[in-house]
Amino acid sequence: MKVGFIGLGVMGEPMARHLRAAGHDLAVWARRPASAAALVAEGVPLYATPAELAARSEVVITIVTASADVDALAFGPDGLAAGFAPGAIHVDMSTIAPAMARSLAERHAARGIGFVDAPVSGGGQGARDATLAIMAGAEADVLERVRPLLAAMGKRIVHIGPPGAGQVAKACNQMIMVAAIQACAEAMRLADAHGVDLAAVRTALSGGSAGSRVLEVMGAKMVERDFAAGVEARLHHKDFALLMDEAARLGAPLPVAAQVWQQLNALMGAGWGRDDTSSLLRVLEAASPRGAG
């Protein structure tokens, strides 16, 4: 397929490479052309505007930061909508508000364009390994047309429901995952307060009912005090802003998520937004300095 790709960050670049390796005709647009330099050096065309990229593509995939970013890419000046031919498909793999995904789908549909919201879980490692979990919101026929593309980037593709449903599933994913990171941080903080070996505690917990991917990865980062970003904490903060706004709009009580949200606010206030979310441990240490070394 002729595929356009926008969003060549930590996750986007390896995802784009998997599409190319699978035999698809890849082209890109980049807000910062330097981010596309490696692909361009390998012969991947770089287009001047999103509209020009859309005009040569059957499908354009976007993975950027926020709802406003996707909206501007699709419907801003020289946006995708200006270039798409009827029958083309926009696949957005960003994490955005469900309401924005539904709005994008409606506006695209009015122009004869398909839309899939397909947020992912698995982080940079999952992107590099093509093992991402993909949560898709789309009409079934539209999803089937792009399934081969998604299969080149991910290991599990689940059709959640109509457009917007993928973003609801992603919000649920983020609630569970970041709450687990917070729980891991609290466990490490309690162990440290007792003066016991954190690595030994993590090893013991990993073999029991508390064992999890979060404990394996984030627990190791906490034990080693390696707060370099896997995924920057500011992105989880952004995701929680979306889901807490949805909770307020729907009147859905999310008491644990609300407490985690406040810890993420404290993390951001401490200036650690571009560090890893395992920095939630440092938020606890700042509140009770013993063992913060």
Side-chain angles (χ1 to χ4, degrees), residues 94-211:
S94 317
T95 299
I96 62 174
M100 175 56 73
R102 289 189 285 266
S103 172
L104 290 165
E106 290 169 2
R107 285 178 283 164
H108 277 314
R111 294 167 169 80
I113 308 303
F115 180 76
V116 181
D117 68 289
V120 301
S121 180
Q125 192 63 52
R128 290 187 292 275
D129 295 342
T131 57
L132 294 168
I134 300 173
M135 298 155 257
E139 300 303 326
D141 60 329
V142 176
L143 178 59
E144 289 311 306
R145 286 179 58 196
V146 301
R147 187 178 288 273
L149 303 179
L150 301 181
M153 298 179 285
K155 187 175 182 180
R156 176 177 294 183
I157 304 161
V158 179
H159 185 194
I160 306 297
Q167 296 298 342
V168 174
K170 181 60 184 288
C172 295
N173 179 85
Q174 300 305 75
M175 277 196 292
I176 293 170
M177 181 184 64
V178 183
I181 298 172
Q182 175 66 21
C184 186
E186 292 183 20
M188 294 298 102
R189 185 68 194 92
L190 178 62
D192 188 56
H194 278 283
V196 302
D197 185 273
L198 300 189
V201 169
R202 174 181 164 275
T203 299
L205 297 180
S206 295
S209 298

Side-chain angles (χ1 to χ4, degrees), residues 218-257:
M218 293 297 192
K221 291 177 74 69
M222 293 173 192
V223 168
E224 296 162 10
R225 302 196 67 77
D226 172 16
F227 299 113
V231 175
E232 293 181 357
R234 68 185 179 89
L235 299 177
H236 286 147
H237 181 262
K238 178 266 297 183
D239 296 347
F240 261 67
L242 291 174
L243 69 90
M244 294 309 299
D245 181 68
E246 290 291 308
R249 185 178 65 81
L250 296 168
L254 304 177
V256 174

